[in-house]
């Protein structure tokens, strides 16, 4: 596939990570009890890791002379500004599952772009670990 496609795909993954529900939740923390500290820490850690990946993807695209589209949060996220953590948490996990699946697909599609594939594979692996952390943290959400 042409390099243009790889750059488009990398940019779409940058948008996916930059505008994920994890990122949104980190900025607009939902209503929750004090017992949900581990859930909050999981979200903040996940958001920080995603931000690092976004910066790495942006650096690669910039090095390639690509004009980066930063994207925007999906409009539906604004419906979830004043909800409980218990309501939002399954959606965070579902969105994270989608992120992992999309990164895996993008890594497969960009297999002939070594730098891109290496970055996408590392992103997929880190996001899988985050997904597992979010699942573990769901116990504190259920208890709150």
């Amino acid at each position: 596939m042409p390099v243009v496609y790889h750059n488009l795909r990398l940019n779409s993954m940058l948008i996916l990570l930059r505008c994920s529900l994890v990122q949104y939740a980190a900025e607009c923390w939902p209503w929750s009890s004090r017992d949900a500290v581990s859930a909050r820490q999981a979200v903040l850690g996940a958001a920080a890791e995603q931000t690092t990946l976004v910066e790495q993807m942006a650096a690669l695209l910039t090095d390639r002379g690509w004009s980066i589209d930063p994207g925007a949060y999906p409009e539906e996220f604004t419906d979830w500004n004043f909800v409980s953590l218990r309501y939002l948490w399954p959606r965070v996990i579902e969105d994270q599952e989608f992120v992992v699946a999309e990164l895996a697909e993008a890594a497969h599609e960009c297999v002939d772009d070594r730098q891109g594939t290496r970055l996408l594979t590392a992103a997929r692996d880190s996001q899988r670990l985050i997904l597992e952390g979010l699942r573990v943290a769901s116990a504190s959400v259920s208890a709150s």
Side-chain angles (χ1 to χ4, degrees):
M1 283 189 195
V3 172
V4 171
Y5 176 79
H6 297 153
N7 291 341
L8 280 169
R9 196 65 167 124
L10 280 165
N11 200 143
S12 71
M13 294 300 95
L14 178 150
I15 293 169
L16 183 71
L17 290 166
R18 197 183 85 67
C19 302
S20 72
L21 191 50
V22 162
Q23 292 291 329
Y24 194 80
E27 290 181 25
C28 306
W29 187 246
W31 297 94
S32 61
S33 71
R34 291 186 179 164
D35 298 335
V37 171
S38 67
R40 175 119 172 103
Q41 290 171 336
V43 166
L44 292 176
E49 175 65 24
Q50 287 180 345
T51 298
T52 298
L53 291 168
V54 166
E55 291 167 354
Q56 291 171 353
M57 288 178 186
L60 177 58
L61 289 168
T62 299
D63 288 348
R64 293 177 173 184
W66 190 259
S67 180
I68 297 168
D69 175 1
Y73 286 120
E75 190 175 318
E76 69 190 47
F77 286 7
T78 60
D79 293 340
W80 301 333
N81 279 348
F82 300 103
V83 298
S84 71
L85 181 58
R86 193 176 290 180
Y87 175 83
L88 186 61
W89 201 256
R91 288 154 184 81
V92 169
I93 290 174
E94 181 180 304
D95 188 67
Q96 188 63 21
E97 290 169 342
F98 178 73
V99 166
V100 170
E102 284 295 305
L103 286 166
E105 185 177 323
H108 177 73
E109 290 173 0
C110 295
V111 72
D112 53 336
D113 174 0
R114 271 193 285 163
Q115 283 182 302
T117 300
R118 191 173 25 247
L119 183 54
L120 290 166
T121 300
R124 178 205 61 207
D125 294 346
S126 77
Q127 295 308 294
R128 273 190 191 143
L129 290 173
I130 286 171
L131 177 57
E132 292 310 310
L134 293 172
R135 287 178 175 149
V136 168
S138 68
S140 70
V141 172
S142 299
S144 63

